[in-house]
Amino acid sequence: ETAAIYEESGCLEFLTEPGLDCSDPAVRKYRTANGVCNNLENPLFGSAERKFRRIIPAYYEDGVAQLRGTMQSMILSVSVLPHDPFRPPYPSARLVSEGVVRDRVVEETRFSHIIMQWGQFLDHDLAHTPSFTCSERTCTIETDTCVPIRIPSDDPVFGTRFGDPTAGPVCHPFARSFPACDSSPPGQLGPREQITDITSWIDGS
């Protein structure tokens, strides 16, 4: 599975990347499209297709890549909660979102909407995490790529499908991001890290 993920995310090509050469005059005069050699002392700083730096260590349930609660939910689904792997010992991400975030209308007199839009423009020029593609509204769990979020039937927005209580369970698609190619030493696994496929320079990448 790891090899398949590496191939889909382009890691095989990355792992055989040739040595860097920042001596070209054009590289010293202009910024590169992928950000490599923009910093001559640290050529890979800010370049595309590199893993993000963490403020705190990764915390996976198996120490490698399993999301918290997924392994315990699989055990519970067999011994306690048959046919329902969506009931881990942690609350659903949707329940947390619904309980913590509240929609409010706040009148703003100092700033216009362009402040948010400009901030979003900058954010999207500094980082972008590529992810796998998951089927819409499926409840099939594929832990390496897709971990759909079960939506409670009484959810005020995404509850029973279009008001039809017989439509079956509704799941919000949640695609996992591609793993970083250099998350661990060769021949070893984890912990899984995330990558950015654009540069961290303000360069329109």
Side-chain angles (χ1 to χ4, degrees), residues 27-95:
V27 171
R28 291 180 170 271
K29 185 176 181 179
Y30 303 103
R31 287 186 172 185
T32 60
N34 63 0
V36 173
C37 294
N38 284 357
N39 184 322
L40 296 178
E41 294 185 3
N42 299 282
L44 294 179
F45 276 18
S47 60
E49 298 181 4
R50 306 294 159 179
K51 66 182 179 182
F52 288 107
R53 297 182 64 181
R54 285 184 175 271
I55 298 177
I56 59 176
Y59 186 10
Y60 294 108
E61 190 160 305
D62 61 351
V64 178
Q66 287 282 358
L67 299 179
R68 293 182 63 187
T70 53
M71 294 179 69
Q72 294 184 53
S73 67
M74 292 176 187
I75 296 173
L76 288 173
S77 68
V78 174
S79 61
V80 181
L81 307 171
H83 312 301
D84 190 356
F86 294 91
R87 299 170 70 178
Y90 303 106
S92 160
R94 174 57 185 168
L95 287 176

Short mmCIF file of all heavy atoms in Angstrom, two decimals, residues 27-95:
data_model
loop_
_atom_site.label_atom_id
_atom_site.label_comp_id
_atom_site.label_asym_id
_atom_site.label_seq_id
_atom_site.Cartn_x
_atom_site.Cartn_y
_atom_site.Cartn_z
N VAL A 27 19.79 31.00 -12.44
CA VAL A 27 19.23 30.65 -11.13
C VAL A 27 19.61 31.70 -10.10
O VAL A 27 18.82 32.02 -9.21
CB VAL A 27 19.72 29.25 -10.70
CG1 VAL A 27 19.33 28.96 -9.25
CG2 VAL A 27 19.14 28.18 -11.61
N ARG A 28 20.80 32.24 -10.22
CA ARG A 28 21.25 33.25 -9.27
C ARG A 28 20.57 34.61 -9.53
O ARG A 28 20.49 35.44 -8.63
CB ARG A 28 22.77 33.41 -9.34
CG ARG A 28 23.52 32.20 -8.79
CD ARG A 28 25.02 32.36 -8.87
NE ARG A 28 25.70 31.31 -8.15
CZ ARG A 28 26.02 31.36 -6.86
NH1 ARG A 28 25.70 32.43 -6.15
NH2 ARG A 28 26.64 30.36 -6.28
N LYS A 29 20.09 34.82 -10.74
CA LYS A 29 19.47 36.10 -11.08
C LYS A 29 17.96 36.09 -10.88
O LYS A 29 17.37 37.08 -10.46
CB LYS A 29 19.79 36.46 -12.53
CG LYS A 29 19.29 37.84 -12.95
CD LYS A 29 19.72 38.17 -14.36
CE LYS A 29 19.24 39.57 -14.76
NZ LYS A 29 19.67 39.92 -16.14
N TYR A 30 17.33 34.94 -11.17
CA TYR A 30 15.87 34.85 -11.10
C TYR A 30 15.44 33.75 -10.13
O TYR A 30 16.16 32.78 -9.93
CB TYR A 30 15.27 34.54 -12.48
CG TYR A 30 15.64 35.54 -13.55
CD1 TYR A 30 16.62 35.24 -14.50
CD2 TYR A 30 15.01 36.78 -13.61
CE1 TYR A 30 16.95 36.16 -15.49
CE2 TYR A 30 15.33 37.70 -14.60
CZ TYR A 30 16.31 37.38 -15.53
OH TYR A 30 16.64 38.30 -16.50
N ARG A 31 14.26 33.94 -9.58
CA ARG A 31 13.68 32.89 -8.75
C ARG A 31 13.24 31.72 -9.64
O ARG A 31 12.78 31.93 -10.76
CB ARG A 31 12.46 33.41 -7.98
CG ARG A 31 12.82 34.34 -6.84
CD ARG A 31 11.57 34.68 -6.05
NE ARG A 31 11.87 35.43 -4.84
CZ ARG A 31 10.97 35.77 -3.93
NH1 ARG A 31 9.71 35.41 -4.10
NH2 ARG A 31 11.31 36.44 -2.85
N THR A 32 13.35 30.51 -9.12
CA THR A 32 12.93 29.34 -9.88
C THR A 32 11.44 29.07 -9.66
O THR A 32 10.85 29.49 -8.66
CB THR A 32 13.73 28.10 -9.46
OG1 THR A 32 13.51 27.86 -8.06
CG2 THR A 32 15.21 28.31 -9.69
N ALA A 33 10.84 28.34 -10.61
CA ALA A 33 9.41 28.05 -10.52
C ALA A 33 9.06 27.17 -9.34
O ALA A 33 8.00 27.32 -8.73
CB ALA A 33 8.93 27.40 -11.82
N ASN A 34 9.96 26.25 -8.97
CA ASN A 34 9.68 25.36 -7.85
C ASN A 34 10.33 25.80 -6.55
O ASN A 34 10.27 25.08 -5.55
CB ASN A 34 10.09 23.92 -8.19
CG ASN A 34 11.60 23.79 -8.42
OD1 ASN A 34 12.35 24.77 -8.34
ND2 ASN A 34 12.03 22.58 -8.74
N GLY A 35 10.97 26.96 -6.55
CA GLY A 35 11.55 27.50 -5.33
C GLY A 35 12.92 26.97 -4.98
O GLY A 35 13.55 27.45 -4.02
N VAL A 36 13.40 25.97 -5.70
CA VAL A 36 14.73 25.42 -5.42
C VAL A 36 15.80 26.44 -5.79
O VAL A 36 15.73 27.07 -6.85
CB VAL A 36 14.95 24.10 -6.21
CG1 VAL A 36 16.38 23.61 -6.05
CG2 VAL A 36 13.97 23.04 -5.75
N CYS A 37 16.75 26.62 -4.92
CA CYS A 37 17.88 27.55 -5.09
C CYS A 37 17.51 29.01 -4.89
O CYS A 37 18.33 29.89 -5.11
CB CYS A 37 18.57 27.39 -6.45
SG CYS A 37 19.38 25.79 -6.68
N ASN A 38 16.29 29.29 -4.46
CA ASN A 38 15.97 30.69 -4.11
C ASN A 38 16.79 31.14 -2.91
O ASN A 38 17.13 32.31 -2.79
CB ASN A 38 14.48 30.82 -3.79
CG ASN A 38 13.62 30.82 -5.05
OD1 ASN A 38 14.14 30.77 -6.16
ND2 ASN A 38 12.32 30.86 -4.87
N ASN A 39 17.08 30.22 -2.02
CA ASN A 39 17.98 30.45 -0.90
C ASN A 39 19.26 29.68 -1.20
O ASN A 39 19.28 28.45 -1.13
CB ASN A 39 17.33 29.96 0.41
CG ASN A 39 18.18 30.25 1.63
OD1 ASN A 39 19.41 30.16 1.60
ND2 ASN A 39 17.52 30.61 2.72
N LEU A 40 20.31 30.37 -1.56
CA LEU A 40 21.53 29.71 -2.02
C LEU A 40 22.24 28.94 -0.90
O LEU A 40 22.93 27.96 -1.17
CB LEU A 40 22.48 30.73 -2.65
CG LEU A 40 21.95 31.41 -3.92
CD1 LEU A 40 22.97 32.43 -4.43
CD2 LEU A 40 21.64 30.38 -5.00
N GLU A 41 22.09 29.40 0.32
CA GLU A 41 22.73 28.69 1.43
C GLU A 41 21.95 27.44 1.82
O GLU A 41 22.54 26.46 2.29
CB GLU A 41 22.87 29.63 2.64
CG GLU A 41 23.82 30.79 2.41
CD GLU A 41 24.01 31.61 3.67
OE1 GLU A 41 23.44 31.24 4.72
OE2 GLU A 41 24.73 32.62 3.60
N ASN A 42 20.63 27.48 1.63
CA ASN A 42 19.78 26.33 1.91
C ASN A 42 18.84 26.16 0.70
O ASN A 42 17.70 26.62 0.73
CB ASN A 42 18.96 26.54 3.19
CG ASN A 42 19.85 26.72 4.41
OD1 ASN A 42 20.39 25.79 4.97
ND2 ASN A 42 20.00 27.98 4.81
N PRO A 43 19.32 25.50 -0.36
CA PRO A 43 18.61 25.47 -1.64
C PRO A 43 17.19 24.91 -1.58
O PRO A 43 16.36 25.28 -2.42
CB PRO A 43 19.50 24.59 -2.51
CG PRO A 43 20.86 24.71 -1.90
CD PRO A 43 20.63 24.82 -0.44
N LEU A 44 16.89 24.05 -0.64
CA LEU A 44 15.56 23.45 -0.58
C LEU A 44 14.58 24.23 0.28
O LEU A 44 13.38 23.91 0.30
CB LEU A 44 15.65 22.00 -0.07
CG LEU A 44 16.39 21.02 -0.99
CD1 LEU A 44 16.41 19.63 -0.35
CD2 LEU A 44 15.74 20.96 -2.36
N PHE A 45 15.05 25.24 0.99
CA PHE A 45 14.16 26.02 1.84
C PHE A 45 13.06 26.67 0.99
O PHE A 45 13.34 27.34 0.00
CB PHE A 45 14.93 27.12 2.58
CG PHE A 45 15.59 26.65 3.84
CD1 PHE A 45 15.82 25.31 4.08
CD2 PHE A 45 15.99 27.56 4.82
CE1 PHE A 45 16.44 24.88 5.24
CE2 PHE A 45 16.61 27.14 6.00
CZ PHE A 45 16.83 25.79 6.20
N GLY A 46 11.82 26.45 1.38
CA GLY A 46 10.70 27.07 0.71
C GLY A 46 10.34 26.48 -0.64
O GLY A 46 9.47 27.00 -1.32
N SER A 47 10.98 25.38 -1.03
CA SER A 47 10.70 24.80 -2.34
C SER A 47 9.46 23.92 -2.32
O SER A 47 8.99 23.50 -1.25
CB SER A 47 11.91 23.98 -2.84
OG SER A 47 12.20 22.92 -1.94
N ALA A 48 8.94 23.64 -3.49
CA ALA A 48 7.72 22.84 -3.60
C ALA A 48 8.01 21.36 -3.38
O ALA A 48 9.15 20.91 -3.49
CB ALA A 48 7.10 23.04 -4.98
N GLU A 49 6.94 20.61 -3.08
CA GLU A 49 6.99 19.16 -2.90
C GLU A 49 7.91 18.78 -1.74
O GLU A 49 8.66 17.80 -1.83
CB GLU A 49 7.41 18.47 -4.20
CG GLU A 49 6.44 18.71 -5.34
CD GLU A 49 6.83 18.01 -6.62
OE1 GLU A 49 7.84 17.28 -6.60
OE2 GLU A 49 6.15 18.20 -7.62
N ARG A 50 7.83 19.53 -0.66
CA ARG A 50 8.59 19.21 0.55
C ARG A 50 7.61 19.09 1.71
O ARG A 50 6.53 19.67 1.70
CB ARG A 50 9.61 20.31 0.87
CG ARG A 50 10.55 20.62 -0.27
CD ARG A 50 11.48 19.46 -0.59
NE ARG A 50 12.00 19.57 -1.95
CZ ARG A 50 12.85 18.72 -2.50
NH1 ARG A 50 13.28 17.68 -1.80
NH2 ARG A 50 13.26 18.88 -3.74
N LYS A 51 8.02 18.36 2.71
CA LYS A 51 7.11 18.17 3.84
C LYS A 51 7.06 19.42 4.71
O LYS A 51 8.02 20.19 4.79
CB LYS A 51 7.53 16.97 4.68
CG LYS A 51 8.86 17.10 5.41
CD LYS A 51 9.17 15.82 6.17
CE LYS A 51 10.52 15.93 6.89
NZ LYS A 51 10.85 14.67 7.59
N PHE A 52 5.91 19.61 5.33
CA PHE A 52 5.73 20.73 6.24
C PHE A 52 6.55 20.51 7.51
O PHE A 52 6.80 19.37 7.92
CB PHE A 52 4.26 20.87 6.64
CG PHE A 52 3.37 21.39 5.56
CD1 PHE A 52 2.48 20.56 4.90
CD2 PHE A 52 3.41 22.73 5.19
CE1 PHE A 52 1.66 21.04 3.90
CE2 PHE A 52 2.58 23.23 4.19
CZ PHE A 52 1.70 22.38 3.55
N ARG A 53 6.95 21.58 8.13
CA ARG A 53 7.57 21.48 9.45
C ARG A 53 6.47 21.51 10.50
O ARG A 53 5.46 22.19 10.34
CB ARG A 53 8.54 22.66 9.67
CG ARG A 53 9.70 22.66 8.69
CD ARG A 53 10.66 23.80 8.97
NE ARG A 53 11.30 23.64 10.28
CZ ARG A 53 12.18 24.51 10.78
NH1 ARG A 53 12.49 25.59 10.08
NH2 ARG A 53 12.73 24.30 11.95
N ARG A 54 6.67 20.77 11.56
CA ARG A 54 5.66 20.67 12.62
C ARG A 54 6.03 21.51 13.83
O ARG A 54 7.21 21.66 14.16
CB ARG A 54 5.50 19.22 13.08
CG ARG A 54 4.73 18.34 12.11
CD ARG A 54 4.54 16.96 12.72
NE ARG A 54 3.71 16.11 11.87
CZ ARG A 54 2.39 16.05 11.96
NH1 ARG A 54 1.76 16.79 12.86
NH2 ARG A 54 1.70 15.26 11.16
N ILE A 55 5.00 22.05 14.48
CA ILE A 55 5.21 22.74 15.76
C ILE A 55 5.27 21.71 16.88
O ILE A 55 6.06 21.83 17.81
CB ILE A 55 4.08 23.76 16.01
CG1 ILE A 55 4.09 24.83 14.92
CG2 ILE A 55 4.22 24.40 17.40
CD1 ILE A 55 2.95 25.84 15.05
N ILE A 56 4.43 20.68 16.78
CA ILE A 56 4.43 19.58 17.74
C ILE A 56 4.54 18.28 16.96
O ILE A 56 4.20 18.23 15.77
CB ILE A 56 3.17 19.57 18.63
CG1 ILE A 56 1.91 19.45 17.77
CG2 ILE A 56 3.12 20.82 19.49
CD1 ILE A 56 0.64 19.34 18.59
N PRO A 57 5.01 17.19 17.59
CA PRO A 57 5.17 15.91 16.88
C PRO A 57 3.83 15.35 16.42
O PRO A 57 2.77 15.67 16.97
CB PRO A 57 5.82 15.00 17.93
CG PRO A 57 6.41 15.92 18.95
CD PRO A 57 5.51 17.12 18.98
N ALA A 58 3.90 14.49 15.40
CA ALA A 58 2.70 13.80 14.92
C ALA A 58 2.20 12.86 16.02
O ALA A 58 2.99 12.30 16.78
CB ALA A 58 3.03 13.01 13.66
N TYR A 59 0.88 12.69 16.09
CA TYR A 59 0.30 11.81 17.10
C TYR A 59 -0.68 10.87 16.41
O TYR A 59 -1.87 11.15 16.32
CB TYR A 59 -0.40 12.64 18.19
CG TYR A 59 -0.92 11.83 19.36
CD1 TYR A 59 -0.59 10.49 19.53
CD2 TYR A 59 -1.74 12.42 20.31
CE1 TYR A 59 -1.06 9.77 20.60
CE2 TYR A 59 -2.22 11.70 21.40
CZ TYR A 59 -1.87 10.37 21.53
OH TYR A 59 -2.35 9.64 22.59
N TYR A 60 -0.16 9.76 15.88
CA TYR A 60 -0.99 8.76 15.25
C TYR A 60 -1.25 7.62 16.22
O TYR A 60 -0.43 7.34 17.10
CB TYR A 60 -0.31 8.22 13.99
CG TYR A 60 -0.15 9.24 12.89
CD1 TYR A 60 1.10 9.78 12.58
CD2 TYR A 60 -1.25 9.68 12.16
CE1 TYR A 60 1.23 10.72 11.56
CE2 TYR A 60 -1.13 10.62 11.16
CZ TYR A 60 0.12 11.14 10.86
OH TYR A 60 0.26 12.07 9.86
N GLU A 61 -2.36 6.95 16.03
CA GLU A 61 -2.74 5.91 16.98
C GLU A 61 -1.75 4.75 17.00
O GLU A 61 -1.50 4.15 18.04
CB GLU A 61 -4.15 5.40 16.66
CG GLU A 61 -4.72 4.50 17.73
CD GLU A 61 -6.22 4.39 17.64
OE1 GLU A 61 -6.88 5.44 17.66
OE2 GLU A 61 -6.72 3.27 17.57
N ASP A 62 -1.19 4.43 15.82
CA ASP A 62 -0.22 3.34 15.75
C ASP A 62 1.22 3.85 15.69
O ASP A 62 2.15 3.09 15.49
CB ASP A 62 -0.49 2.45 14.54
CG ASP A 62 -0.38 3.21 13.22
OD1 ASP A 62 -0.26 4.46 13.26
OD2 ASP A 62 -0.41 2.57 12.15
N GLY A 63 1.37 5.18 15.86
CA GLY A 63 2.70 5.78 15.80
C GLY A 63 3.21 5.99 14.40
O GLY A 63 4.30 6.53 14.21
N VAL A 64 2.43 5.58 13.39
CA VAL A 64 2.89 5.67 12.00
C VAL A 64 1.93 6.50 11.15
O VAL A 64 2.30 7.52 10.59
CB VAL A 64 3.06 4.28 11.38
CG1 VAL A 64 3.49 4.39 9.91
CG2 VAL A 64 4.09 3.48 12.16
N ALA A 65 0.67 6.04 11.02
CA ALA A 65 -0.24 6.72 10.10
C ALA A 65 -1.71 6.63 10.45
O ALA A 65 -2.52 7.36 9.85
CB ALA A 65 -0.03 6.17 8.69
N GLN A 66 -2.11 5.78 11.39
CA GLN A 66 -3.53 5.60 11.69
C GLN A 66 -4.08 6.81 12.45
O GLN A 66 -3.50 7.24 13.46
CB GLN A 66 -3.74 4.34 12.54
CG GLN A 66 -3.56 3.05 11.76
CD GLN A 66 -4.77 2.72 10.91
OE1 GLN A 66 -5.76 3.43 10.92
NE2 GLN A 66 -4.68 1.63 10.17
N LEU A 67 -5.21 7.35 11.95
CA LEU A 67 -5.83 8.48 12.63
C LEU A 67 -6.33 8.05 14.00
O LEU A 67 -6.73 6.90 14.20
CB LEU A 67 -7.00 9.01 11.80
CG LEU A 67 -6.65 9.54 10.41
CD1 LEU A 67 -7.90 10.01 9.70
CD2 LEU A 67 -5.64 10.67 10.50
N ARG A 68 -6.32 8.95 14.93
CA ARG A 68 -6.73 8.63 16.30
C ARG A 68 -8.18 8.16 16.33
O ARG A 68 -9.07 8.80 15.78
CB ARG A 68 -6.55 9.84 17.21
CG ARG A 68 -5.10 10.23 17.41
CD ARG A 68 -4.97 11.41 18.34
NE ARG A 68 -5.47 11.10 19.68
CZ ARG A 68 -5.59 12.00 20.65
NH1 ARG A 68 -5.27 13.25 20.42
NH2 ARG A 68 -6.02 11.64 21.83
N GLY A 69 -8.41 7.04 16.98
CA GLY A 69 -9.74 6.49 17.12
C GLY A 69 -10.10 5.44 16.09
O GLY A 69 -11.00 4.64 16.31
N THR A 70 -9.39 5.40 14.94
CA THR A 70 -9.77 4.46 13.89
C THR A 70 -9.48 3.02 14.28
O THR A 70 -10.29 2.13 14.02
CB THR A 70 -9.04 4.78 12.58
OG1 THR A 70 -7.63 4.86 12.82
CG2 THR A 70 -9.52 6.10 12.01
N MET A 71 -8.35 2.75 14.91
CA MET A 71 -8.03 1.38 15.29
C MET A 71 -8.95 0.90 16.41
O MET A 71 -9.45 -0.22 16.39
CB MET A 71 -6.56 1.28 15.73
CG MET A 71 -5.57 1.53 14.61
SD MET A 71 -3.86 1.45 15.16
CE MET A 71 -3.69 -0.29 15.52
N GLN A 72 -9.21 1.77 17.38
CA GLN A 72 -10.10 1.40 18.47
C GLN A 72 -11.52 1.18 17.96
O GLN A 72 -12.23 0.30 18.43
CB GLN A 72 -10.09 2.47 19.55
CG GLN A 72 -8.74 2.60 20.25
CD GLN A 72 -8.80 3.61 21.38
OE1 GLN A 72 -9.64 3.53 22.25
NE2 GLN A 72 -7.90 4.58 21.35
N SER A 73 -11.93 1.97 16.97
CA SER A 73 -13.28 1.81 16.44
C SER A 73 -13.42 0.49 15.71
O SER A 73 -14.48 -0.14 15.72
CB SER A 73 -13.62 2.97 15.50
OG SER A 73 -12.83 2.93 14.33
N MET A 74 -12.34 0.04 15.06
CA MET A 74 -12.39 -1.25 14.38
C MET A 74 -12.55 -2.38 15.39
O MET A 74 -13.29 -3.34 15.18
CB MET A 74 -11.11 -1.45 13.55
CG MET A 74 -11.00 -0.52 12.36
SD MET A 74 -9.43 -0.73 11.50
CE MET A 74 -9.52 0.62 10.32
N ILE A 75 -11.85 -2.27 16.52
CA ILE A 75 -11.97 -3.28 17.57
C ILE A 75 -13.38 -3.26 18.16
O ILE A 75 -14.01 -4.30 18.34
CB ILE A 75 -10.92 -3.03 18.67
CG1 ILE A 75 -9.51 -3.19 18.11
CG2 ILE A 75 -11.14 -3.98 19.85
CD1 ILE A 75 -8.41 -2.81 19.07
N LEU A 76 -13.89 -2.06 18.42
CA LEU A 76 -15.23 -1.94 18.99
C LEU A 76 -16.29 -2.44 18.03
O LEU A 76 -17.29 -3.04 18.44
CB LEU A 76 -15.51 -0.48 19.36
CG LEU A 76 -14.75 0.07 20.57
CD1 LEU A 76 -15.01 1.55 20.71
CD2 LEU A 76 -15.16 -0.66 21.85
N SER A 77 -16.08 -2.22 16.73
CA SER A 77 -17.09 -2.62 15.77
C SER A 77 -17.24 -4.13 15.70
O SER A 77 -18.28 -4.66 15.32
CB SER A 77 -16.74 -2.08 14.38
OG SER A 77 -15.58 -2.70 13.87
N VAL A 78 -16.18 -4.84 16.11
CA VAL A 78 -16.23 -6.30 16.09
C VAL A 78 -16.76 -6.86 17.40
O VAL A 78 -17.60 -7.75 17.44
CB VAL A 78 -14.82 -6.88 15.80
CG1 VAL A 78 -14.84 -8.40 15.94
CG2 VAL A 78 -14.36 -6.48 14.42
N SER A 79 -16.29 -6.28 18.53
CA SER A 79 -16.64 -6.85 19.82
C SER A 79 -17.86 -6.25 20.48
O SER A 79 -18.56 -6.91 21.24
CB SER A 79 -15.43 -6.69 20.78
OG SER A 79 -15.14 -5.32 20.96
N VAL A 80 -18.14 -4.97 20.20
CA VAL A 80 -19.21 -4.29 20.91
C VAL A 80 -20.25 -3.70 19.97
O VAL A 80 -21.46 -3.80 20.21
CB VAL A 80 -18.64 -3.16 21.82
CG1 VAL A 80 -19.77 -2.48 22.57
CG2 VAL A 80 -17.60 -3.73 22.76
N LEU A 81 -19.78 -3.10 18.89
CA LEU A 81 -20.69 -2.37 18.00
C LEU A 81 -20.65 -2.98 16.60
O LEU A 81 -20.05 -2.42 15.69
CB LEU A 81 -20.28 -0.89 17.93
CG LEU A 81 -20.15 -0.17 19.28
CD1 LEU A 81 -19.53 1.20 19.06
CD2 LEU A 81 -21.51 -0.05 19.95
N PRO A 82 -21.23 -4.16 16.41
CA PRO A 82 -21.14 -4.82 15.10
C PRO A 82 -21.73 -3.98 13.97
O PRO A 82 -22.71 -3.27 14.15
CB PRO A 82 -21.96 -6.10 15.31
CG PRO A 82 -22.86 -5.78 16.46
CD PRO A 82 -22.08 -4.87 17.35
N HIS A 83 -21.07 -4.08 12.81
CA HIS A 83 -21.53 -3.44 11.57
C HIS A 83 -21.49 -1.90 11.64
O HIS A 83 -22.15 -1.25 10.85
CB HIS A 83 -22.95 -3.88 11.21
CG HIS A 83 -23.13 -5.36 11.28
ND1 HIS A 83 -22.38 -6.24 10.53
CD2 HIS A 83 -23.97 -6.13 12.03
CE1 HIS A 83 -22.75 -7.49 10.80
NE2 HIS A 83 -23.70 -7.46 11.70
N ASP A 84 -20.77 -1.34 12.56
CA ASP A 84 -20.70 0.13 12.60
C ASP A 84 -19.31 0.58 13.06
O ASP A 84 -19.07 0.73 14.25
CB ASP A 84 -21.76 0.70 13.54
CG ASP A 84 -21.85 2.23 13.39
OD1 ASP A 84 -21.05 2.80 12.62
OD2 ASP A 84 -22.73 2.83 14.01
N PRO A 85 -18.39 0.75 12.10
CA PRO A 85 -17.03 1.18 12.47
C PRO A 85 -16.91 2.68 12.66
O PRO A 85 -15.82 3.21 12.78
CB PRO A 85 -16.22 0.73 11.24
CG PRO A 85 -17.17 0.88 10.11
CD PRO A 85 -18.53 0.51 10.68
N PHE A 86 -18.05 3.41 12.68
CA PHE A 86 -18.01 4.86 12.77
C PHE A 86 -18.23 5.36 14.19
O PHE A 86 -18.66 6.49 14.39
CB PHE A 86 -19.07 5.47 11.85
CG PHE A 86 -18.80 5.23 10.39
CD1 PHE A 86 -19.30 4.11 9.76
CD2 PHE A 86 -18.02 6.10 9.66
CE1 PHE A 86 -19.05 3.88 8.42
CE2 PHE A 86 -17.77 5.87 8.32
CZ PHE A 86 -18.29 4.76 7.70
N ARG A 87 -18.00 4.54 15.19
CA ARG A 87 -18.28 4.98 16.56
C ARG A 87 -17.04 4.80 17.43
O ARG A 87 -17.01 3.97 18.34
CB ARG A 87 -19.47 4.19 17.12
CG ARG A 87 -20.74 4.42 16.30
CD ARG A 87 -21.84 3.48 16.68
NE ARG A 87 -22.38 3.77 18.00
CZ ARG A 87 -23.39 3.10 18.55
NH1 ARG A 87 -23.95 2.10 17.91
NH2 ARG A 87 -23.82 3.42 19.75
N PRO A 88 -15.99 5.56 17.14
CA PRO A 88 -14.76 5.47 17.94
C PRO A 88 -14.96 6.11 19.31
O PRO A 88 -15.98 6.76 19.57
CB PRO A 88 -13.75 6.26 17.11
CG PRO A 88 -14.58 7.27 16.39
CD PRO A 88 -15.88 6.56 16.09
N PRO A 89 -13.99 5.95 20.22
CA PRO A 89 -14.12 6.55 21.55
C PRO A 89 -13.97 8.06 21.55
O PRO A 89 -14.10 8.69 22.59
CB PRO A 89 -12.98 5.89 22.33
CG PRO A 89 -11.99 5.49 21.29
CD PRO A 89 -12.80 5.12 20.08
N TYR A 90 -13.68 8.65 20.39
CA TYR A 90 -13.59 10.10 20.30
C TYR A 90 -14.81 10.63 19.55
O TYR A 90 -15.37 9.94 18.70
CB TYR A 90 -12.32 10.51 19.55
CG TYR A 90 -11.05 9.98 20.16
CD1 TYR A 90 -10.36 8.94 19.57
CD2 TYR A 90 -10.57 10.50 21.36
CE1 TYR A 90 -9.19 8.44 20.14
CE2 TYR A 90 -9.41 10.00 21.94
CZ TYR A 90 -8.73 8.97 21.33
OH TYR A 90 -7.59 8.47 21.90
N PRO A 91 -15.23 11.84 19.82
CA PRO A 91 -16.42 12.38 19.13
C PRO A 91 -16.14 12.61 17.65
O PRO A 91 -15.00 12.85 17.25
CB PRO A 91 -16.69 13.70 19.87
CG PRO A 91 -15.37 14.08 20.45
CD PRO A 91 -14.70 12.77 20.82
N SER A 92 -17.18 12.56 16.85
CA SER A 92 -17.06 12.82 15.43
C SER A 92 -16.55 14.24 15.20
O SER A 92 -16.89 15.17 15.93
CB SER A 92 -18.43 12.65 14.76
OG SER A 92 -18.48 13.31 13.52
N ALA A 93 -15.75 14.41 14.16
CA ALA A 93 -15.25 15.74 13.82
C ALA A 93 -16.40 16.69 13.53
O ALA A 93 -16.34 17.88 13.83
CB ALA A 93 -14.31 15.65 12.61
N ARG A 94 -17.48 16.16 12.97
CA ARG A 94 -18.64 16.99 12.68
C ARG A 94 -19.32 17.43 13.97
O ARG A 94 -19.76 18.58 14.08
CB ARG A 94 -19.63 16.21 11.80
CG ARG A 94 -20.95 16.93 11.55
CD ARG A 94 -20.74 18.30 10.91
NE ARG A 94 -22.00 19.02 10.79
CZ ARG A 94 -22.10 20.30 10.49
NH1 ARG A 94 -21.01 21.02 10.28
NH2 ARG A 94 -23.28 20.89 10.39
N LEU A 95 -19.41 16.55 14.95
CA LEU A 95 -20.02 16.91 16.22
C LEU A 95 -19.20 18.00 16.92
O LEU A 95 -19.75 18.93 17.51
CB LEU A 95 -20.14 15.69 17.13
CG LEU A 95 -21.21 14.66 16.75
CD1 LEU A 95 -21.15 13.46 17.69
CD2 LEU A 95 -22.59 15.29 16.77
#
